[in-house]
């Protein structure tokens, strides 16, 4: 039996022990998901993971992959959150091979609570280091899956001065017509984040494309620019 199975069981048992039924109901209602929650908030969940790390060592990529995907297939939402905690924590396994793991997770990611972290903290980092993965972003922006279209934007979120501006611009303008809240919000969010690096660029981009960008996208994009100009 893989060493990762006891680690998963350990975390599941601890989640049950620290669960709260009232919090579980509230958390599920807030996320508007059919998936149940244990009712374990972020600080307690992170403590469970800390205890698990002392319980079992993850020493190779094969076990990293098994652990992440086993947690991701869990019945409760906190197990998915733990999968992302695990995936992010073991940075030595953020290799090209990990992209396939994160892509597999994306296939069943169904809300912003999982999609956004996958996009910005995991997918985005690999895209920055291995630009050949930008072909995935190009494919995702025309996907029928709205969440994948959102990922094609948010994968750029933390690239700062290394942002591929031509690709980001093209993606924004391709998706700017969408009425979907999560797409409009993502456009604004990624531009707002880039405004920390180049506020003049973002201000100019909004001005030049004012006619096609949704008001929500523009408001979100200019929040920091507006504050610094006051």
């Amino acid at each position: 039996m893989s060493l990762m199975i006891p680690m998963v069981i350990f975390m599941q048992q601890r989640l049950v022990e620290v669960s709260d039924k009232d919090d579980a109901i509230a958390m599920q209602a807030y996320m508007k998901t059919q998936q149940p929650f244990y009712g374990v908030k972020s600080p307690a969940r992170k403590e469970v993971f800390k205890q698990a790390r002392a319980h079992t060592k993850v020493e190779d990529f094969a076990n990293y992959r098994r652990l992440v995907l086993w947690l991701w297939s869990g019945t409760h939402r906190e197990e998915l959150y733990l999968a992302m905690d695990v995936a992010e924590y073991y940075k030595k396994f953020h290799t090209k091979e990990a992209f396939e793991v994160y892509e597999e997770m994306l296939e069943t990611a169904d809300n912003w609570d999982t999609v956004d972290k996958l996009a910005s903290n995991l997918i985005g980092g690999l895209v920055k280091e291995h630009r050949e993965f930008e072909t995935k972003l190009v494919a995702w922006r025309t996907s029928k899956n709205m969440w994948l279209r959102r990922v094609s934007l948010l994968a750029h979120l933390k690239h700062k001065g290394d942002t591929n501006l031509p690709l980001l611009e093209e993606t924004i303008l391709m998706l700017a017509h969408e009425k979907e809240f999560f797409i409009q919000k993502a456009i604004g969010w990624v531009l707002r984040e880039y405004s920390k690096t180049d506020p003049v660029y973002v201000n100019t981009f909004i001005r030049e494309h004012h006619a096609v960008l949704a008001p929500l996208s523009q408001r979100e994009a200019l929040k920091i620019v507006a504050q610094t100009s006051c």
Side-chain angles (χ1 to χ4, degrees), residues 101-169:
V101 178
Y102 309 150
E103 188 174 15
E104 183 172 339
M105 295 164 77
L106 273 180
E107 290 175 1
T108 53
D110 61 356
N111 212 334
W112 60 265
D113 61 331
T114 50
V115 168
D116 292 4
K117 191 168 185 177
L118 284 169
S120 60
N121 293 8
L122 296 168
I123 294 288
L126 288 181
V127 169
K128 180 182 173 183
E129 295 300 319
H130 307 283
R131 292 293 178 173
E132 62 267 33
F133 290 132
E134 288 180 339
T135 58
K136 291 289 186 177
L137 305 187
V138 171
W140 290 340
R141 67 191 186 185
T142 57
S143 172
K144 293 181 180 179
N145 182 336
M146 181 273 293
W147 296 114
L148 288 182
R149 300 199 302 278
R150 183 170 165 96
V151 172
S152 75
L153 293 160
L154 296 186
H156 299 272
L157 195 66
K158 297 186 177 181
H159 289 184
K160 300 181 180 179
D162 295 317
T163 300
N164 182 340
L165 283 176
L167 176 59
L168 179 58
E169 282 186 18

Side-chain angles (χ1 to χ4, degrees), residues 83-103:
M84 294 186 294
D85 292 340
V86 169
E88 190 173 357
Y89 179 81
Y90 295 102
K91 297 188 186 303
K92 68 179 179 179
F93 300 127
H94 291 187
T95 60
K96 290 174 70 173
E97 291 73 22
F99 194 92
E100 170 267 328
V101 178
Y102 309 150
E103 188 174 15

